[in-house]
């Protein structure tokens, strides 16, 4: 008895020590949190369509359009200025005064625009970078971190995309990148204004492992998305197409959750190959719909990158599907994982736990041929439901009651996604 106890104690010490060796060292800094973004942020960003060709008029028209075409009411509330709003190109050290907006593009100033956004039920976002220059060559915040944060807070800013990828490259050490984000996070907290913080570093330096600790609400998991669903020519290049971005997110699901999200980059729905910034020739209606569905499944922030004034009726329907948006905005904040895949047919099934006990399920056909897709509730979804009810979230139709010997199977076109909700029937 005594020997057993001794052996058990020894085993415990051994296992604990072995385990400790594999554990990352505890962070030496306290965790920061602004308590915001409990669900993935939704809105509009200027970059994908317009680059730095932005103006007061464009933003006012964007706000007015989104207030009347259903986008705001579907949840797209952030109106985010990306790079190019700043007055000066070049190094910050040549412009030591407070940061200013370009007076030609924004004659009434940024506060006017954020007031306008707020008056119409929106929130307002802005962009800058930590170095001397931003990615598009405008002045960055180096040496002016607290001052700039205070300026943005005084303008009524609610979201900051702080983009380090052009000042700290892909090989910059984690400690260096972490410090610059932490400093801005602290500066934003010091303003006392609730400002959602996007720490944008192109998916380098394993940012998902530490950015939440430093107060970030979202971080990109990869470089820019092109306007392509699947263009293998880009693989291993700068751009991650829709399928590659999804693959990039596999294994990173655990880093996302309420308040801190893996960001799969801005939406390409509606760009139709007309982006002034992104590579890519555009996607079909079906591919844009699949992309939107999957961004909701993986709980990515949802920022529309197209010109909302010219969206087709189809794209608008895609972006305002409340049943699909409900997957993104579910308070449990889970990220869908791949639960089943067929490498020959190139089909995958993603599933995500919802707060009401149901499962959001996406049948994704990555291949070029129509395929029948199904999923085994016991083996793949690990549920012991005797029967379950299936709803198709794009058809807005109940598809019937199914069980383990008769699981829901459906034909899925090339590059299509069936967005489904499986709800258990307990009686
Ligand atoms: C890139 C970023 C883009 C956009 C651009 C602005 O680094 O990935 O999303 O923000 O900078 O210059």
């Amino acid at each position: 008895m005594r020997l057993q106890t001794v052996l058990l104690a020894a085993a415990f010490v051994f296992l604990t020590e072995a385990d400790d060796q594999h554990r990352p060292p505890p962070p030496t800094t306290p965790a920061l949190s602004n308590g915001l973004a409990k669900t993935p942020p939704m809105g509009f960003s200027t970059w994908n369509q317009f680059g730095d060709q932005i103006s007061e008029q464009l933003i006012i028209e964007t706000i007015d359009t989104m207030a009347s075409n259903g986008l705001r009411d579907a949840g797209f509330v952030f109106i985010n200025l990306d790079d190019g709003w700043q007055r000066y190109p070049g190094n910050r050290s040549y412009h030591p005064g407070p940061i200013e907006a370009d007076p030609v593009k924004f004659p009434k100033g940024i506060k006017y625009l954020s007031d306008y956004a707020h008056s119409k039920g929106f929130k307002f976002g802005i962009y800058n970078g930590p170095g001397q220059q931003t990615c598009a060559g405008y002045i960055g915040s180096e040496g002016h971190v607290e001052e700039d944060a205070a300026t943005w807070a005084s303008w009524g800013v609610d979201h900051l995309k702080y983009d380090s990828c052009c000042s700290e490259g892909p090989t910059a050490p984690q400690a260096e990148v972490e410090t610059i984000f932490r400093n801005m996070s602290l500066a934003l907290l010091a303003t006392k204004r609730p400002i959602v913080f996007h720490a944008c570093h192109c998916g380098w330096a394993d940012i998902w492992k530490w950015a939440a600790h430093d107060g970030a609400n979202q971080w990109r998991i990869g470089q820019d998305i092109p306007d392509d669903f699947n263009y293998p020519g880009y693989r291993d290049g700068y751009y991650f197409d829709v399928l590659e971005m999804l693959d990039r997110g596999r294994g990173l699901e655990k880093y996302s959750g309420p308040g801190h999200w893996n960001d799969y980059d801005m939406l390409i729905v509606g760009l139709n190959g007309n982006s002034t910034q992104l590579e890519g020739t555009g996607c079909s209606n079906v591919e844009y719909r699949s992309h939107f569905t999957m961004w909701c499944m993986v709980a990515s922030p949802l920022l529309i990158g197209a010109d909302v004034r010219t969206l087709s009726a189809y794209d608008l329907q895609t972006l305002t599907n409340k049943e699909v948006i409900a997957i993104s905005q579910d308070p449990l904040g889970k990220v869908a994982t791949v639960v089943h895949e067929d490498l020959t047919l190139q089909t995958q099934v993603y599933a995500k736990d919802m707060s009401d006990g149901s499962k959001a399920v996406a049948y994704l056909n990555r291949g070029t041929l129509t395929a029948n897709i199904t999923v085994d509730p016991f083996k793949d979804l690990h549920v012991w439901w005797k029967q379950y009810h299936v709803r198709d979230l794009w058809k807005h139709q109940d598809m019937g009651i199914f069980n383990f010997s008769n699981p829901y199977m459906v034909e899925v076109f090339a590059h299509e996604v069936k967005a489904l909700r499986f709800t258990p029937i307990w009686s």
Side-chain angles (χ1 to χ4, degrees), residues 47-48 82-83 127 134-137 161 163 165-166 200 202 220 222-224 238 265-266:
W47 187 256
N48 282 359
D82 205 283
D83 212 351
Y127 169 102
T134 64
C135 284
K161 176 175 172 184
D163 183 359
C165 70
C166 295
C200 183
C202 279
R220 287 259 295 274
Q223 292 149 186
D224 293 7
Y238 181 76
D265 204 358
M266 295 170 284

Side-chain angles (χ1 to χ4, degrees), residues 9-23:
F12 176 75
V13 169
F14 173 76
L15 285 174
T16 312
E17 281 177 358
D19 198 31
D20 274 349
Q21 282 164 13
H22 293 104
R23 212 172 276 157

